[in-house]
Amino acid sequence: GAGVSQTPSNKVTEKGKYVELRCDPISGHTALYWYRQSLGQGPEFLIYFQGTGAADDSGLPNDRFFAVRPEGSVSTLKIQRTERGDSAVYLCASSLGFGTDTQYFGPGTRLTVL
Amino acid sequence: RKEVEQDPGPFNVPEGATVAFNCTYSNSASQSFFWYRQDCRKEPKLLMSVYSSGNEDGRFTAQLNRASQYISLLIRDSKLSDSATYLCVVFDTGRRALTFGSGTRLQVQP
């Protein structure tokens, strides 16, 4: 069956620009997570949705980052005024419920800020 | 100090070798533990969960020591296809998200 999909797969932007990254979770999965992975590091938690609401956004690095999931399915991670330090792979994961249910990851969006 | 610490490697081993990875975690309240595998430029994929009683899946054996806050992964009879980065992962019930180590890179050589 279809897994988690993310678009675009690659995004190159200039410093100061606005970007949106999209995640389509596995159908029926209520929990959705965003992580960020820098080179040589493991993924780091950004934000978690249970349904439409952001249950925990404590991992967002600052107020330039924002994420929505208006209908409880697709989610968009939005980054304003991008900085070179935002360059990383942004991974989305979904799970059937929250808690210890297995999280399935999408292929990620590789963001490069020039 | 990182919440989950791993030796980054790389571990270079010949085919057929047995290799062990270790990991320590700092949050004593953590309740669930996993090993994920990540191939180069790919997403992480769950390899196996880790239990205090130890669990085995084919050539892979995982073990958890709660008292020492220590997790291990043993790979027997290494295959070329085992070459990847192995991520030690802890589930934080407070945050309800996964906390990853930086990963240990394994290169199995012919």
Side-chain angles (χ1 to χ4, degrees), chain A residues 17-59:
Chain A
K17 299 288 189 183
Y18 168 83
V19 296
E20 288 191 352
L21 312 179
R22 176 187 167 110
C23 172
D24 274 274
I26 293 172
S27 178
H29 280 194
T30 60
L32 185 148
Y33 302 80
W34 283 98
Y35 295 84
R36 176 168 75 171
Q37 186 171 24
S38 301
L39 193 62
Q41 302 296 315
E44 292 180 304
F45 168 75
L46 296 177
I47 185 170
Y48 149 63
F49 289 89
Q50 181 61 29
T52 60
D56 185 343
D57 64 359
S58 62

Side-chain angles (χ1 to χ4, degrees), chain B residues 49-105:
Chain B
S49 301
V50 189
Y51 306 110
S52 297
S53 54
N55 50 304
E56 190 173 309
D57 183 1
R59 299 181 292 107
F60 298 82
T61 301
Q63 189 76 50
L64 166 67
N65 183 322
R66 284 188 182 272
S68 302
Q69 296 180 207
Y70 173 95
I71 304 163
S72 65
L73 177 68
L74 183 77
I75 306 175
R76 290 181 299 278
D77 188 22
S78 300
K79 312 290 184 193
L80 293 174
S81 58
D82 293 335
S83 298
T85 295
Y86 291 83
L87 297 160
C88 178
V89 186
V90 172
F91 181 77
D92 183 336
T93 51
R95 171 179 280 177
R96 293 181 176 170
L98 301 175
T99 299
F100 288 80
S102 297
T104 298
R105 194 155 64 89

Side-chain angles (χ1 to χ4, degrees), chain B residues 5-73:
Chain B
E5 298 213 46
Q6 297 181 249
D7 180 344
F11 283 60
N12 295 303
V13 302
E15 272 186 290
T18 296
V19 61
F21 305 138
N22 304 316
C23 158
T24 56
Y25 62 94
S26 60
N27 184 356
S28 59
S30 299
Q31 293 193 336
S32 302
F33 309 89
F34 310 93
W35 284 100
Y36 274 69
R37 171 193 168 129
Q38 187 170 28
D39 292 293
C40 189
R41 301 180 78 90
K42 298 287 188 181
E43 71 273 24
K45 292 185 178 177
L46 179 65
L47 179 65
M48 58 197 305
S49 301
V50 189
Y51 306 110
S52 297
S53 54
N55 50 304
E56 190 173 309
D57 183 1
R59 299 181 292 107
F60 298 82
T61 301
Q63 189 76 50
L64 166 67
N65 183 322
R66 284 188 182 272
S68 302
Q69 296 180 207
Y70 173 95
I71 304 163
S72 65
L73 177 68

